[in-house]
Amino acid sequence: MSKAIFIRNASQLVTLEGSSHAPLVKEAMSELRIIENGSVWIEDGIIQAVGTDEELLAEYGDRLGEAEVVDATGKLVTPGLVDPHTHLVHAGSRENEFNMRLQGATYMEIMNAGGGIHATTSATKAASHQQLYEESYARLDQFLLHGVTTVEAKSGYGMEWETELKQLEVAKQLNEKHVVDVVSTFMGAHAIPKEFKENPDEYVRLLVEEMIPKVAELGLAEFNDVFCEHGVFTPDQSRVILEAGKRHGLIPKIHADEIVAYEGAELAAEVGAISADHLLKASEKGLAAMAKKGVVGVLLPGTAYFLMAESANGRKMIDTGVPVALSTDCNPGSSPTVSLPFIMNLGCLKMGMTPAEVITAATINAAHAINRGSEIGSLEVGKKGDVTIFNVNNYMKLQYSYGVNHVDTVVKNGVVVVKGGQLCEELSFSKNESA
Ligand code: NIG
Ligand code: FE
């Protein structure tokens, strides 16, 4: 049982109250439900009360001595940020490809020549479990320092059973050992492995008949994701893979319409995916279908920025009624960042979203994109005590003042884990536990 935490007197406390049942759409994405001079009481890891400082003092004033008090005067308090799309567990980096792209090579050219995803696949295959764990653990520390308390993590740098299993086992172990929650997605369908280049359907068969059933049986993932893209998996192959996942209880997600229009958004709506991600080239018809079905559009403006492509049209998607979430897409090829706040800034400047909308997109809508809307993503009684405190006095300033890490304090499961922008000492004890 952890000590009570009393976060007091924030200049703005963003609660996003009332959003647990479904992601927010249209105008509701701007309704942050801010409390000025706001306070939160957390006990046993769970939020017990949210209100003005005056209200909470009246309720808990006689128990002040029992609590760790966090003074948020002059600060912005939000739900812990949620990153719903990462390739967290991977080995190595690809700055050589960055350099090639700056000189004119394209992302797909590099991949088709055996680099790109294939390069990280070789590095991930070669890495030991311990090495993968340590590299990914360090990235999770960085996520936490940027205010993120939950991340989704995909496999997909193996594309054969042994390495996919290693990645999923590392993600599971990270979820157990690191304070950041890690939610797993199987993405064996991340690329066509080189040895199946001439016969991709045989790889689809392997996924459907062997890998997906094993992942489900071992309980190693909740979601099943496909890179549905020209030159990777066709919409028909993607459908077969996602339907197979569904039969085994894995919820579909899609990397959709990233590089060319390929009816990925339409497919997401058809198979009842929880999210369709990227969507740079999604058609109007596909977006309308997603809005109708409530499929979350996970937008990754860091990827467009890093690949020097035009961003997805977030403004249009919100106006169409698609519930929009934001994510880093953290991966070594197309978005090597952990800074969700920077992604929020790109959401404003590159996708026409407002400062209020990007907060909704990186908290409650992101939580819904990973089926966690009832547990995290808003500050409400009964939810996890996951809170981020920023050193700015209002939410607009968070996006306005960019390129700076404004995170001051992070509370995870009701425990202070980042203080004054630094990881807490106590945290390093759990870090050093045997992996
Ligand atoms: O989401 N688009 C495919 N997959 C990743 C990139 C992975 C990589 O380049 O290593 C993405 O952008
Ligand atoms: Fe991705």
Side-chain angles (χ1 to χ4, degrees):
M1 226 192 277
S2 58
K3 197 175 174 180
I5 299 256
F6 189 20
I7 300 170
R8 290 195 62 184
N9 200 35
S11 67
Q12 291 189 335
L13 181 90
V14 172
T15 66
L16 285 154
E17 194 196 342
S19 51
S20 296
H21 58 291
L24 297 177
V25 294
K26 294 195 167 173
E27 291 78 22
M29 279 192 70
S30 305
E31 291 164 14
L32 300 182
R33 315 267 178 204
I34 290 172
I35 301 175
E36 291 184 359
N37 303 113
S39 299
V40 187
W41 184 278
I42 305 170
E43 221 171 311
D44 299 331
I46 302 292
I47 297 174
Q48 308 293 329
V50 181
T52 63
D53 194 55
E54 208 175 298
E55 285 166 346
L56 264 68
L57 209 53
E59 200 177 338
Y60 289 95
D62 54 347
R63 292 186 53 202
L64 273 189
E66 295 168 32
E68 176 172 354
V69 176
V70 178
D71 181 12
T73 304
K75 298 193 167 109
L76 169 73
V77 173
T78 71
L81 303 181
V82 177
D83 194 330
H85 178 143
T86 85
H87 303 260
L88 172 78
V89 181
H90 64 262
S93 59
R94 310 216 302 263
E95 57 277 17
N96 55 331
E97 293 179 6
F98 172 58
N99 194 32
M100 283 159 74
R101 287 194 300 102
L102 290 173
Q103 292 171 67
T106 69
Y107 178 80
M108 285 310 253
E109 277 166 11
I110 294 171
M111 172 162 155
N112 291 333
I117 291 174
H118 301 297
T120 299
T121 298
S122 305
T124 305
K125 265 184 201 173
S128 67
H129 176 107
Q130 185 64 18
Q131 182 191 338
L132 256 191
Y133 175 81
E134 283 168 12
E135 283 192 36
S136 309
Y137 193 104
R139 268 190 286 280
L140 276 185
D141 280 351
Q142 292 298 321
F143 268 112
L144 191 58
L145 286 166
H146 286 83
V148 175
T149 48
T150 301
V151 304
E152 181 259 19
K154 301 174 195 299
S155 69
Y157 290 124
M159 298 176 286
E160 39 75 20
W161 177 244
E162 216 173 293
T163 311
E164 291 291 317
L165 178 66
K166 181 169 65 180
Q167 275 189 284
L168 291 169
E169 283 177 341
V170 166
K172 180 168 182 245
Q173 192 184 0
L174 288 166
N175 183 45
E176 288 161 4
K177 299 275 184 187
H178 199 284
V179 290
V180 172
D181 285 323
V182 178
V183 175
S184 275
T185 296
F186 174 62
M187 200 177 178
H190 196 191
I192 310 278
K194 287 179 215 157
E195 46 300 5
F196 290 92
K197 223 173 167 180
E198 301 310 316
N199 191 5
D201 282 333
E202 176 55 21
Y203 185 58
V204 173
R205 192 199 62 76
L206 205 70
L207 285 167
V208 166
E209 291 180 14
E210 296 180 26
M211 291 203 230
I212 287 173
K214 278 199 251 182
V215 169
E217 198 191 325
L218 294 169
L220 283 170
E222 291 175 45
F223 305 99
N224 180 32
D225 198 343
V226 178
F227 190 12
C228 177
E229 186 68 45
H230 186 71
V232 194
F233 293 93
T234 66
D236 282 342
Q237 290 168 333
S238 302
R239 181 184 293 105
V240 167
I241 293 165
L242 295 173
E243 290 292 348
K246 273 163 70 177
R247 289 196 295 279
H248 291 275
L250 301 178
I251 301 169
K253 278 182 169 282
I254 310 187
H255 280 59
D257 303 315
E258 178 184 353
I259 296 164
V260 299
Y262 211 37
E263 302 201 346
E266 286 86 338
L267 180 62
E270 181 200 314
V271 300
I274 196 162
S275 74
D277 305 29
H278 287 290
L279 301 172
L280 278 66
K281 307 285 168 153
S283 73
E284 283 188 20
K285 194 167 135 260
L287 293 176
M290 281 176 60
K292 199 163 163 221
K293 284 280 193 79
V295 179
V296 180
V298 176
L299 304 186
L300 312 156
T303 308
Y305 170 73
F306 199 70
L307 296 184
M308 297 173 281
E310 201 176 323
S311 294
N313 192 339
R315 176 78 270 130
K316 189 167 95 187
M317 291 183 206
I318 293 174
D319 295 342
T320 306
V322 175
V324 166
L326 283 170
S327 159
T328 60
D329 193 15
C330 173
N331 76 73
S334 67
S335 191
T337 185
V338 293
S339 178
L340 196 49
F342 175 59
I343 300 299
M344 292 158 81
N345 172 271
L346 291 177
C348 294
L349 291 169
K350 295 288 189 183
M351 300 200 304
M353 294 170 71
T354 64
E357 287 168 342
V358 297
I359 289 189
T360 299
T363 54
I364 189 64
N365 279 10
H368 281 291
I370 53 170
N371 209 16
R372 293 289 189 283
S374 59
E375 288 168 40
I376 53 173
S378 60
L379 299 179
E380 298 184 79
V381 173
K383 281 198 153 176
K384 275 194 186 187
D386 292 1
V387 185
T388 299
I389 305 178
F390 296 94
N391 243 326
V392 290
N393 63 2
N394 69 81
Y395 73 88
M396 290 188 208
K397 213 171 188 175
L398 187 60
Q399 280 79 51
Y400 157 81
S401 171
Y402 78 101
V404 178
N405 188 357
H406 292 292
V407 172
D408 176 79
T409 302
V410 181
V411 175
K412 175 66 192 168
N413 289 323
V415 177
V416 176
V417 290
V418 172
K419 211 185 231 171
Q422 307 287 326
L423 291 175
C424 289
E425 279 295 310
E426 308 86 80
L427 203 61
S428 59
F429 294 126
S430 67
K431 240 195 281 187
N432 291 336
E433 268 174 25
S434 65

